Amino acid sequence: MQYLIKFDESGKRQETYVADEKKEQERESLLQDGFILVDEDEYQKIIGNIDGKTYIRNPETGEYEAYEPPLEDLKSAKMAAVNAWTAAKITGGFTSDATGEAVTYDSDKDTQLTMQGIAATAGTDLFAQKYPDGVAVRGYAQTSNKKQVYTLTAGQVQAWCADLSKHINDCKQAGWAKQAAVEAAESKEDLDAITLT
């Protein structure tokens, strides 16, 4: 298989097409527009499927050279990954023993807003009026993989929300520590050592 690739002025791969999927006239037009015909082996090397490194095409020699993004670009990408990891940890569920047993509950934004709003009324006449039998929430018992409904009293709602807040705080602090490590990184190896698990 052959590919038609356009490289930018620094040699980075830009637009790419499978040559066989283009009609002869389209191929000729792309070649006249600065595209280069690349065979399968070259293409696999360029995209990093040979040795895990991506390659750029030296504009002067036409040779392919391993490309190492600047450290600042690597740090920006790692910081974005850390931020996404932190957000996923926050909304990925948390454990509370507000009912007297450890249960894993959802912690997505809707759940956070709903329960914090309900907690603001805990202990008031409004809470007693709106939730005379308690607030129904669903979660997984530690010994089960099936959600079940738990009914929380006003005090349990407050404890539940306190556990949620602690969970969010713990996630944020873990994220801040990883952000600080990204900022302090002095090499690609330093960045690679920052795990997101």
Side-chain angles (χ1 to χ4, degrees), residues 65-78:
E65 302 168 351
Y67 173 69
E68 186 66 48
L71 183 59
E72 286 309 308
D73 289 356
L74 294 173
K75 288 173 93 166
S76 293
K78 190 69 170 198

Side-chain angles (χ1 to χ4, degrees), residues 134-155:
V135 176
V137 293
R138 293 192 323 154
Y140 299 94
Q142 295 296 304
T143 56
S144 175
N145 62 357
K146 185 177 180 184
K147 275 188 177 179
Q148 59 189 54
V149 175
Y150 295 86
T151 304
L152 306 182
T153 65

